[in-house]
């Protein structure tokens, strides 16, 4: 049987609390579209695994997020309407710290305004993360975005 010291357990709890706060920061930065600050939540050599493939490194992640944001804004302008309201929600957060690495699993849900002003879920899924300590701070080393609900996809993925 493995016996943890009080100090080890305290470090695990502190790491879990820090990562939970960083997940909250992540959602705030996603909503604000502050891509320069957003990418600093990722390790220098991070991987972001999306439906369209795996992005490697902060520059690739920042470029993809900024381009997606610009496409959504351009689509609103082309349709002659203001960009609709939306919200990005995070729930069901689980974090497990093991020394200088951690795993996390959390549910994301995207709400968006419809033409009639009502709101509906546009997509939902899981973030499956590996975290590392880099330069004294917790960073996302690898994130897999696993959709299970996606409006308009027909297949759910």
């Amino acid at each position: 049987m493995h016996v943890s010291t009080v100090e080890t357990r305290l470090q695990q709890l502190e790491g879990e609390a820090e990562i939970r706060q960083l997940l909250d920061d992540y959602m705030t930065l996603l909503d604000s579209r502050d891509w320069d600050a957003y990418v600093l939540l990722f390790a220098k050599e991070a991987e972001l695994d999306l439906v369209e493939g795996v992005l490697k490194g902060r520059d690739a992640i920042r470029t993809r997020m900024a381009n997606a944001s610009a496409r959504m804004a351009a689509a609103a302008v082309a349709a002659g309407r203001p960009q609709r309201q939306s919200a990005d929600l995070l729930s069901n957060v689980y974090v497990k710290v093991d020394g200088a690495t951690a795993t996390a699993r959390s549910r994301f849900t995207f709400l968006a305004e419809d033409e009639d002003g009502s709101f509906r879920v546009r997509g939902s899924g899981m973030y499956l993360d590996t975290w590392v300590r880099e330069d004294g701070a917790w960073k996302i080393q690898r994130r897999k975005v696993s959709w299970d609900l996606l409006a308009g996809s027909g297949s759910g993925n």
Side-chain angles (χ1 to χ4, degrees), residues 39-115:
V39 296
L40 296 179
L41 294 172
F42 289 85
K44 292 171 187 149
E45 301 301 321
E47 293 183 356
L48 180 57
D49 186 348
L50 303 167
V51 172
E52 66 263 28
V54 178
L55 303 171
K56 296 184 181 194
R58 288 178 177 164
D59 289 343
I61 293 168
R62 186 198 182 291
T63 297
R64 190 273 183 198
M65 298 305 290
N67 288 346
S69 182
R71 276 194 311 273
M72 288 188 289
V77 169
R81 61 166 173 75
Q83 214 168 343
R84 293 192 181 113
Q85 297 181 80
S86 64
D88 302 316
L89 310 174
L90 195 68
S91 63
N92 304 81
V93 177
Y94 169 82
V95 179
K96 176 75 173 150
V97 172
D98 185 12
T101 63
T103 56
R105 179 182 67 240
S106 52
R107 173 163 293 283
F108 61 86
T109 304
F110 298 123
L111 299 176
E113 183 180 18
D114 275 339
E115 289 181 26

